[in-house]
Amino acid sequence: MSILPSANLHLRELYDTTVEFFVHRSPGISSRAPSSHDSCSSPHSRTLTPVPDPIGRLTRECASLRERLDAADGRQDTCTCSASSDSQLPPMSIRRDLEDARRELSQTKTELSKLEARCRMLERTLKETKALLKARDAEISARARSNPEKQHNGGGEEGSSRRMERLTEEVEVTVLAVDEQRALAKSSEVFMTKTDSWSGAQVLQAVQDLNSEILQFAAAATELSSFDKKSHSSSKAAHQAVQETASRLGPNLARILSSRDHSQDPMLVQLALQGCISTCVARALTPFCMGFPSKPDGILSQIYAHMYMAESQPTSSRWRALTHRHIHTMYPYLNDYSINELSETMYRWSSDILFIAGCPISDRYALSTRDGMRAKFGDQIKRISRTVSHLAQVTREEIMSTRFEIVAIENDGGFDSRRMMDAFGEYGSSRGAILITTEVGLRCSTRKDIPENAGESGSAPVPEVEHRLLLQPKVVLDSVVDLIDPK
């Protein structure tokens, strides 16, 4: 409690000192009033001049200063927080802003290029129109010079106005015709393009890879098989398999496979397997659309053959590509169906060849059965079928400048070295009938443009089609039997 009187004493001394300061600073003030503390003042106290109370003013100033300091501290904290928050902005936002700016710049450049192209087109149109107007003016001037009297007596301004109206109408019609022709040419440019997605070398390499896969399958299947001539040579199933093989691949091959002993050298069986797979591939790629029903496919093939001879190469190729593509769009499962059907055909034909060659049926998974062929070589056969399907899609949709065809030689003709190659030609002279095709070939057919003066004689000109054999198919002749197993 002794602290409070001491504090009061110090405040009182401060007060008296402050009052004396103001008294000395204001000696001219005459009004005087007794202090509230005169009764308890010391004998040395003087009569003081009353001045305004400075304590309240100082208190208010201190409060104001404190408020200002608090406000300044608040602003500093706010700046610090905002600076720290700005410094903590993630770089992703800056990168996004940069990408947006680049995107807007790219869009602006694209729009600018379009506007420049439009400007160039309008300039060309204006130039053509000016040339046309100049020609018309020259024609009018020539007519006016040739008929001065008619121009003098022909009605003057009225005739000139009518001529100008007709001229304006003709110019408008000409401009519209030019725009229409330009739009028609631009729309037909995409349809009549000759751009090929695949080159001839790529197609040729794909066919050679396909032949290699067929050879690998035939060699592996023959290697895993064992043969016994007398196992089922007289059975009813063997007789039926021989007939079916003869109808598919020819009677000569079926007779050789069923009548000879292949236990020592199964080379003829391997060649027969190569031939049956190659024949399946060639026949699968013959229709207009692989896997499509035969009747509508035949109609589409006839339409395309007629269009190929009547129209230009780009027109017929584009029609074929669009038709083939939209068939698969309307029937989205047609590709899988065609692959499965081709694979099943290969299983059946291959197992029948092994069966009539003497491969025993020990169980249902033997190679001479369809289930056994599917179990052991299902992946390899599926891969060959997918390659064939992709090759069909490429040759029908991706090639516009020409027409590629897979070639296999039927076994009803003689050997022709210009169209085929003897697989064993290096071991002797090529003689005898064709037994089977072991590797498919590739042929390119291109319809040449008809010259303008081709039809001057009055008869309709016949278009010229150029055929080129890029890859000769390999065949096996029946003389190979004597070469492999001489007697």
Side-chain angles (χ1 to χ4, degrees):
M1 296 301 293
S2 63
I3 298 175
L4 294 177
S6 176
N8 292 332
L9 179 59
H10 286 294
L11 289 174
R12 181 181 184 84
E13 290 175 357
L14 177 63
Y15 175 77
D16 293 340
T17 306
T18 306
V19 170
E20 286 181 1
F21 171 77
F22 281 102
V23 168
H24 287 289
R25 296 286 293 175
S26 304
I29 299 176
S30 59
S31 58
R32 303 172 61 90
S35 174
S36 59
H37 303 284
D38 288 343
S39 59
C40 58
S41 61
S42 63
H44 300 285
S45 62
R46 299 181 298 272
T47 302
L48 302 175
T49 303
V51 294
D53 186 7
I55 300 301
R57 181 173 57 82
L58 293 174
T59 303
R60 287 191 299 272
E61 290 180 359
C62 289
S64 177
L65 288 175
R66 188 177 292 108
E67 290 177 359
R68 293 180 182 178
L69 289 174
D70 293 339
D73 292 338
R75 285 195 301 272
Q76 183 177 3
D77 294 340
T78 304
C79 294
T80 304
C81 293
S82 61
S84 62
S85 62
D86 291 339
S87 63
Q88 295 176 358
L89 283 176
M92 292 300 296
S93 61
I94 301 176
R95 189 177 293 109
R96 263 196 313 272
D97 295 340
L98 181 59
E99 291 177 355
D100 294 339
R102 289 178 177 174
R103 193 181 303 110
E104 292 178 0
L105 179 60
S106 177
Q107 293 176 357
T108 304
K109 290 182 178 179
T110 304
E111 294 177 357
L112 180 61
S113 62
K114 291 180 180 179
L115 291 176
E116 290 178 351
R118 177 64 178 172
C119 182
R120 288 193 295 269
M121 185 186 68
L122 292 176
E123 288 177 353
R124 287 196 300 269
T125 305
L126 179 60
K127 186 177 180 180
E128 294 172 358
T129 306
K130 287 182 177 179
L132 182 61
L133 287 174
K134 186 176 181 180
R136 294 292 183 181
D137 291 339
E139 182 181 357
I140 292 173
S141 300
R143 290 182 179 179
R145 287 192 300 270
S146 61
N147 300 319
E149 296 181 357
K150 185 176 180 180
Q151 181 183 10
H152 180 73
N153 300 324
E157 296 181 357
E158 184 177 357
S160 299
S161 62
R162 284 198 300 268
R163 285 195 298 272
M164 289 300 297
E165 289 177 359
R166 287 197 303 270
L167 180 60
T168 304
E169 293 176 357
E170 291 177 358
V171 169
E172 292 177 354
V173 171
T174 304
V175 172
L176 291 176
V178 170
D179 292 340
E180 184 178 357
Q181 290 177 359
R182 185 178 291 110
L184 181 62
K186 187 176 181 180
S187 63
S188 62
E189 181 180 357
V190 177
F191 186 83
M192 299 294 290
T193 181
K194 293 184 178 181
T195 305
D196 297 336
S197 300
W198 277 46
S199 64
Q202 289 176 314
V203 178
L204 179 61
Q205 185 63 46
V207 176
Q208 291 175 345
D209 294 342
L210 179 61
N211 287 327
S212 299
E213 290 187 4
I214 295 173
L215 175 60
Q216 293 173 9
F217 160 73
T222 306
E223 184 70 22
L224 294 179
S225 301
S226 60
F227 302 96
D228 184 7
K229 182 179 182 299
K230 298 181 180 180
S231 60
H232 44 258
S233 58
S234 60
S235 63
K236 183 179 179 180
H239 182 67
Q240 183 180 358
V242 169
Q243 289 183 346
E244 291 180 354
T245 303
S247 63
R248 297 165 186 161
L249 305 175
N252 291 336
L253 181 64
R255 176 180 53 79
I256 293 173
L257 290 175
S258 60
S259 62
R260 301 183 69 86
D261 184 10
H262 307 284
S263 58
Q264 299 299 324
D265 188 1
M267 176 59 71
L268 289 174
V269 180
Q270 177 178 338
L271 295 176
L273 288 176
Q274 280 185 256
C276 92
I277 300 298
S278 299
T279 304
C280 286
V281 169
R283 293 180 182 178
L285 292 173
T286 300
F288 181 85
C289 183
M290 179 178 168
F292 206 53
S294 58
K295 288 186 177 180
D297 187 86
I299 295 174
L300 292 175
S301 299
Q302 293 177 5
I303 294 174
Y304 174 65
H306 178 77
M307 184 178 295
Y308 184 79
M309 300 303 296
E311 301 293 337
S312 62
Q313 177 75 46
T315 303
S316 60
S317 298
R318 179 59 64 179
W319 181 86
R320 177 190 60 186
L322 292 175
T323 305
H324 192 270
R325 185 178 305 155
H326 285 287
I327 286 175
H328 283 273
T329 302
M330 295 174 63
Y331 303 98
Y333 300 104
L334 181 61
N335 187 46
D336 295 336
Y337 170 78
S338 62
I339 292 175
N340 293 331
E341 285 296 313
L342 181 58
S343 300
E344 290 297 325
T345 302
M346 292 179 180
Y347 296 146
R348 185 171 61 254
W349 289 20
S350 301
S351 61
D352 285 347
I353 286 176
L354 293 176
F355 181 65
I356 67 176
C359 183
I361 303 179
S362 57
D363 53 20
R364 57 173 298 188
Y365 291 108
L367 281 179
S368 54
T369 62
R370 192 185 309 176
D371 293 336
M373 185 65 66
R374 185 186 299 108
K376 290 183 174 62
F377 294 100
D379 294 338
Q380 198 167 359
I381 292 293
K382 284 282 187 180
R383 184 166 61 250
I384 293 175
S385 300
R386 292 192 186 95
T387 302
V388 173
S389 177
H390 182 61
L391 193 60
Q393 186 264 334
V394 167
T395 55
R396 286 157 175 78
E397 297 183 15
E398 307 296 336
I399 308 296
M400 299 293 115
S401 61
T402 187
R403 179 177 65 179
F404 288 103
E405 299 173 286
I406 302 299
V407 182
I409 306 300
E410 296 296 334
N411 50 20
D412 55 353
F415 178 77
D416 185 0
S417 59
R418 295 172 299 177
R419 299 189 301 115
M420 62 196 75
M421 179 185 299
D422 185 5
F424 292 87
E426 59 184 5
Y427 298 102
S429 60
S430 301
R431 56 183 178 82
I434 297 174
L435 195 62
I436 199 168
T437 301
T438 56
E439 293 185 10
V440 296
L442 182 65
R443 181 171 58 204
C444 172
S445 302
T446 306
R447 183 183 183 275
K448 296 296 184 179
D449 295 334
I450 304 174
E452 296 182 357
N453 56 357
E456 291 180 355
S457 60
S459 60
V462 178
E464 179 184 357
V465 180
E466 179 186 5
H467 299 285
R468 290 183 299 164
L469 194 60
L470 302 181
L471 179 64
Q472 287 184 333
K474 282 186 179 182
V475 298
V476 173
L477 306 179
D478 56 3
S479 59
V480 74
V481 178
D482 300 332
L483 183 63
I484 294 176
D485 188 14
K487 293 183 180 179

